[in-house]
Amino acid sequence: WNPSIGQNGLKVGEKVVVGIKNKVIDKPKSQQQEIVKEVIENPSPIYRNNSKDETSYLDVVVFLPLKVKTVTWDAEKKKINEDTHWSLEFYNGFLLALDTLKLLGLRVKVKVIDTSNDTAYVKSLISNKSIGKPDVIIGPIYTPEFKIIAKYAKDKNIAIINPLGKNDEVIKNLPTAIRMRPDNNRKYYATADYLAKNYGNQNVVIAYETGDGKLAEKMKAY
């Protein structure tokens, strides 16, 4: 939507597009499903660099609970069901990240798998060897599904990213797993470490939300 930003950076006073009209609004259920299916079946983009090696690319599989077969429209809220809605938002953000990688010269092949938040289906993907051996797996979002795929990734030595989980237990004993969201303890200790190294002799004020007093005290002590 704003290609000049990637080339020239964001300038003061510049107008940018931050959203477009939701194409799903006012469409019947059957058309909603077609739109979601189009996102699933047709994106699979390969971002190419100028390399002559057409076989060289990063193979990425993304697991999201898109629920293609059960998309519903909430007339009151004027949007599709929550899982599908935020899965599409997540995937759009993912594609923006790929655009950045493209500028860096990285070629990426993407496959999207709709888990439908169904652990039985996720297990069947492993039994049917539908996942293959990609370079990177992103998701699934929900913990029960993630644990199933993470074990597969561990056995196959595939890097797997947990994008939304905040609990260390999600990636425990999974050496190939990466959790993107740090929990509060990690954030506070990392902040304390930074402050100690760079502002050790200065006054520091810790502002915290109600209920986070114990974490603030830990950070202060650290």
Side-chain angles (χ1 to χ4, degrees), residues 8-16:
N8 307 317
L10 184 62
K11 307 299 181 183
V12 175
E14 182 177 0
K15 292 183 178 180
V16 297

Side-chain angles (χ1 to χ4, degrees), residues 4-32:
S4 63
I5 293 177
Q7 300 171 359
N8 307 317
L10 184 62
K11 307 299 181 183
V12 175
E14 182 177 0
K15 292 183 178 180
V16 297
V17 179
V18 295
I20 59 174
K21 184 176 180 181
N22 191 339
K23 295 181 180 179
V24 177
I25 291 179
D26 298 328
K27 291 184 178 290
K29 179 179 178 181
S30 60
Q31 288 180 286
Q32 293 174 32

Side-chain angles (χ1 to χ4, degrees), residues 156-170:
K156 300 292 185 181
N157 196 30
I158 302 170
I160 181 169
I161 298 173
N162 183 281
L164 300 180
K166 294 178 65 176
N167 192 330
D168 277 339
E169 290 297 316
V170 174

Side-chain angles (χ1 to χ4, degrees), residues 9-10 15 18 28 49 55 57 61 67 72 75 89 94 101 107 146 155 169 189 200 205 207 211 215 219-220:
L10 184 62
K15 292 183 178 180
V18 295
N49 60 12
T55 64
Y57 56 82
V61 174
K67 298 185 176 179
T72 57
E89 287 192 337
F94 172 76
L101 295 178
R107 299 175 70 244
F146 179 82
D155 294 341
E169 290 297 316
Y189 281 126
V205 176
L215 287 173
M219 188 171 94
K220 180 180 176 181

Side-chain angles (χ1 to χ4, degrees), residues 18-189:
V18 295
I20 59 174
K21 184 176 180 181
N22 191 339
K23 295 181 180 179
V24 177
I25 291 179
D26 298 328
K27 291 184 178 290
K29 179 179 178 181
S30 60
Q31 288 180 286
Q32 293 174 32
Q33 290 179 316
E34 288 303 314
I35 290 172
V36 179
K37 284 179 65 178
E38 182 179 347
V39 174
I40 301 300
E41 296 172 357
N42 299 328
S44 299
I46 295 181
Y47 289 91
R48 304 179 182 278
N49 60 12
N50 295 324
S51 171
K52 293 182 180 180
D53 182 5
E54 291 296 314
T55 64
S56 176
Y57 56 82
L58 190 69
D59 192 355
V60 179
V61 174
V62 183
F63 288 91
L64 289 171
L66 285 145
K67 298 185 176 179
V68 175
K69 296 180 180 179
T70 57
V71 176
T72 57
W73 173 251
D74 188 324
E76 184 178 342
K77 295 182 179 180
K78 295 186 177 180
K79 64 179 182 180
I80 53 181
N81 51 289
E82 290 292 334
D83 278 346
T84 306
H85 178 78
W86 64 256
S87 290
L88 290 173
E89 287 192 337
F90 180 92
Y91 185 61
N92 283 330
F94 172 76
L95 291 181
L96 288 174
L98 288 190
D99 283 339
T100 301
L101 295 178
K102 180 179 67 172
L103 294 175
L104 298 176
L106 182 67
R107 299 175 70 244
V108 183
K109 179 181 178 182
V110 181
K111 180 179 181 180
V112 182
I113 296 179
D114 177 13
T115 66
S116 295
N117 193 16
D118 184 344
T119 53
Y121 174 66
V122 171
K123 289 179 181 178
S124 74
L125 294 174
I126 295 175
S127 300
N128 299 332
K129 300 181 179 180
S130 302
I131 301 172
K133 192 177 180 182
D135 299 299
V136 180
I137 295 174
I138 299 177
I141 301 299
Y142 293 118
T143 300
E145 299 170 6
F146 179 82
K147 287 183 176 180
I148 295 170
I149 300 299
K151 184 180 183 305
Y152 174 85
K154 177 183 178 181
D155 294 341
K156 300 292 185 181
N157 196 30
I158 302 170
I160 181 169
I161 298 173
N162 183 281
L164 300 180
K166 294 178 65 176
N167 192 330
D168 277 339
E169 290 297 316
V170 174
I171 60 171
K172 188 175 182 180
N173 299 321
L174 297 170
T176 62
I178 302 168
R179 185 165 56 82
M180 296 303 296
R181 290 183 68 190
D183 59 25
N184 285 336
N185 275 299
R186 287 184 182 273
K187 287 189 287 188
Y188 279 35
Y189 281 126

